[in-house]
């Protein structure tokens, strides 16, 4: 059976070096070492150092490993919100974080837009006593990128609030000034090209202090996966529970590969690939753009409306070796979603571009 190329928006194609790293992991018995061993701690430390260099994360920010970005939504509300959170919602995942806050009994407010756009960003509508304000830097369900300047505008007007950014399908492609945000998080199965099952949570000391104060004031902050406990273990480059050591090892290896390539090169290639795929959507008679404002179109998750059933396109392309994503939720059957992550080379994207341009359904 011919090997397929996955352009699904997560899990997606493995980073092209992962196969060799897996062979090394077996040789080094990575899957067998204790998660509190010196060997596992070394992987943790190296992965953190790589991430800080790759994404220009300030040295005094902390990097913790959890199970997924979905878990991190819950941990953020538990640790960082006593009463009020505010959510900019423009897709399925940004809305889900809002629902998490509501389900945990918080006074959650949101500014919402139709899918394919972003909400109006008016800092004056956000209550001054809001404790956490959230953004999805790249909404995987809709292919919308939230302009970082809008996030910085909110930070300036609400300096006391925790600014939380979902970077799941954005990091490390989209550059953001971490000094303008307090909490950021992602899962590794998208832009980092790794198997699902590892979440990365980046926080500054303001988040640690907020969690400690919340606990000191008698509020529950969770049980085992609290920020104070994550910090206690993380300061020794250890996790709070028996983590997926293999995925931390692979993250360490892949971020080393990315550093060797250079983040500027990765971002330039992402710009080119995104522009090429958006041109394909514009030019093809069977597609049109879901995100009508070209300034908001994602470089990493391209979403196109299909004039016929999107499943027909997905099936036909799969027969040619290309696996694309369907529309999300109510858009299933009406859209295709194409991942353009760092593992997808310019040549692969050009091959997909040529293949789709030669098709009519």
């Amino acid at each position: 059976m011919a090997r397929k190329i996955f352009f699904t928006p997560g899990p997606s194609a493995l980073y092209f070096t992962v196969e060799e790293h897996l062979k090394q992991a077996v040789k080094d018995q990575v899957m067998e070492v204790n998660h509190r061993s010196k060997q596992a701690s070394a992987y943790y430390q190296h992965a953190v150092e790589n991430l800080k260099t790759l994404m220009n994360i300030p040295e005094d920010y902390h990097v913790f490993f959890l199970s997924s970005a979905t878990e991190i939504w819950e941990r953020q509300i538990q640790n960082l919100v006593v009463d009020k959170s505010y959510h900019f919602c423009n897709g399925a995942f940004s809305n889900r974080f809002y629902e998490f806050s509501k389900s945990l009994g918080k006074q959650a407010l949101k500014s919402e837009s139709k899918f394919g756009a972003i909400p109006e960003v008016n800092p004056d509508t956000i209550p001054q006593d809001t404790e956490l304000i959230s953004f999805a830097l790249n909404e995987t369900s809709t292919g919308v990128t939230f302009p970082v300047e809008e996030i910085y505008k909110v930070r300036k007007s609400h300096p006391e609030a925790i600014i939380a950014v979902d970077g799941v399908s954005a990091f490390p492609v989209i550059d953001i000034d971490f000094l303008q945000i307090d909490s950021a998080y992602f899962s590794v199965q998208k832009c980092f090209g790794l198997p699902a099952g590892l979440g990365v949570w980046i926080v500054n000391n303001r988040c640690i202090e907020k969690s400690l104060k919340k606990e000191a004031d008698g509020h529950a902050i969770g049980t085992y996966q609290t920020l104070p406990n994550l910090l206690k273990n993380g300061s020794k480059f250890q996790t709070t529970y028996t983590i997926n050591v293999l995925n931390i090892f692979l993250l360490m290896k892949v971020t080393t590969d990315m550093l060797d390539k250079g983040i500027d090169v990765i971002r330039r290639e992402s710009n080119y690939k995104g522009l090429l795929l958006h041109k394909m959507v514009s030019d093809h008679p069977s597609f049109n753009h879901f995100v009508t404002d070209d300034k908001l179109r994602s470089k990493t998750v391209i979403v196109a409306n299909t004039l016929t059933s999107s499943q027909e396109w997905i099936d036909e392309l799969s027969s040619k070796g290309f696996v694309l994503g369907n529309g999300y939720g109510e858009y299933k059957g009406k859209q295709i979603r194409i991942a353009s992550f760092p593992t997808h080379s310019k040549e692969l994207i050009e091959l997909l571009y040529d293949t789709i341009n030669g098709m009519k359904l």
Side-chain angles (χ1 to χ4, degrees):
M1 180 177 175
R3 188 164 183 169
K4 294 183 182 292
I5 305 168
F6 283 79
F7 293 91
T8 43
S12 192
L14 290 176
Y15 199 74
F16 60 92
T17 56
V18 165
E19 186 173 351
E20 290 303 313
H21 296 323
L22 281 169
K23 293 176 183 176
Q24 186 67 46
V26 173
K27 182 179 178 182
D28 292 348
Q29 297 181 278
V30 171
M31 290 81 85
E32 301 170 62
V33 300
N34 187 281
H35 65 294
R36 302 210 185 281
S37 66
K38 289 183 179 180
Q39 188 174 338
S41 294
Y43 301 151
Y44 186 134
Q45 181 175 3
H46 196 171
V48 168
E49 290 170 351
N50 282 354
L51 286 169
K52 286 187 172 183
T53 302
L54 187 69
M55 297 197 293
N56 198 26
I57 301 169
E59 186 55 39
D60 60 348
Y61 279 49
H62 310 281
V63 180
F64 304 129
F65 294 118
L66 294 90
S67 65
S68 66
T70 303
E71 180 190 359
I72 294 167
W73 285 336
E74 185 168 316
R75 303 307 173 209
Q76 286 183 117
I77 299 302
Q78 288 176 321
N79 282 267
L80 302 175
V81 179
V82 175
D83 293 313
K84 295 182 180 179
S85 64
Y86 194 96
H87 305 258
F88 286 91
C89 297
N90 59 301
F93 298 106
S94 46
N95 269 286
R96 197 168 298 165
F97 186 24
Y98 161 75
E99 293 295 340
F100 271 41
S101 187
K102 283 180 59 181
S103 69
L104 287 169
K106 308 306 177 186
Q107 299 179 51
L109 300 174
K110 67 176 175 177
S111 176
E112 189 173 14
S113 69
K114 66 178 183 178
F115 284 16
I118 63 167
E120 178 187 5
V121 180
N122 181 358
D124 293 338
T125 63
I126 305 172
Q128 283 297 322
D129 58 349
T130 299
E131 297 160 84
L132 181 145
I133 304 170
S134 76
F135 302 86
L137 187 55
N138 199 80
E139 194 20 285
T140 311
S141 67
T142 64
V144 172
T145 293
F146 216 107
V148 294
E149 295 78 13
E150 297 293 284
I151 298 174
Y152 301 160
K153 181 169 71 175
V154 172
R155 162 65 124 189
K156 184 176 182 180
S157 64
H158 290 76
E160 299 304 315
I162 297 293
I163 304 296
V165 170
D166 177 338
V168 167
S169 57
F171 296 148
V173 172
I174 297 177
D175 188 15
I176 192 166
D177 180 1
F178 277 84
L179 292 174
Q180 300 284 339
I181 62 178
D182 304 288
S183 174
Y185 52 98
F186 62 91
S187 296
V188 298
Q189 71 270 18
K190 301 184 191 294
C191 287
F192 287 89
L194 296 177
L198 185 68
V200 181
W201 190 10
I202 304 159
V203 299
N204 62 13
N205 285 320
R206 293 183 71 222
C207 293
I208 304 294
E209 291 161 4
K210 172 73 175 185
S211 182
L212 287 168
K213 185 177 188 308
K214 183 180 176 183
E215 184 179 42
D217 289 344
H219 301 287
I221 60 171
T223 54
Y224 208 50
Q225 295 284 63
T226 65
L227 275 175
N229 209 25
L230 287 164
L231 179 64
K232 175 185 172 183
N233 286 273
S235 63
K236 299 177 287 188
F237 301 107
Q238 294 181 1
T239 55
T240 56
Y241 67 105
T242 308
I243 192 75
N244 187 338
V245 175
L246 174 62
N247 237 346
I248 295 176
F249 170 84
L250 293 175
L251 180 62
M252 173 193 74
K253 288 291 189 181
V254 165
T255 50
T256 298
D257 297 331
M258 289 181 170
L259 286 169
D260 288 342
K261 182 170 186 175
I263 190 61
D264 291 340
V265 173
I266 290 171
R267 287 172 177 164
R268 281 199 304 270
E269 288 184 353
S270 295
N271 288 339
Y272 166 75
K273 294 183 295 182
L275 286 170
L276 188 65
L277 290 172
H278 287 306
K279 174 176 167 51
M280 180 196 73
V281 175
S282 296
D283 293 348
H284 202 288
S286 298
F287 302 144
N288 59 63
H289 286 287
F290 182 51
V291 183
T292 56
D293 186 342
D294 60 358
K295 297 187 296 296
L296 301 180
R297 288 176 191 155
S298 170
K299 303 169 187 175
T300 59
V301 180
I302 288 74
V303 180
N305 297 319
T306 58
L307 300 188
T308 58
S309 168
S310 63
Q311 194 61 54
E312 293 180 29
W313 283 94
I314 291 166
D315 291 344
E316 184 63 24
L317 284 162
S318 179
S319 72
K320 299 176 185 296
F322 304 99
V323 184
L324 273 60
N326 211 325
Y328 194 90
E330 65 180 281
Y331 296 100
K332 187 174 183 179
K334 302 174 185 178
Q335 296 178 343
I336 55 171
R337 291 184 297 154
I338 306 172
S340 178
F341 297 149
T343 193
H344 299 112
S345 67
K346 293 186 295 181
E347 291 77 17
L348 281 179
I349 295 294
E350 288 166 352
L351 180 60
L352 178 64
Y353 173 90
D354 291 337
T355 300
I356 292 179
N357 273 340
M359 295 170 59
K360 286 185 174 65
L361 292 180

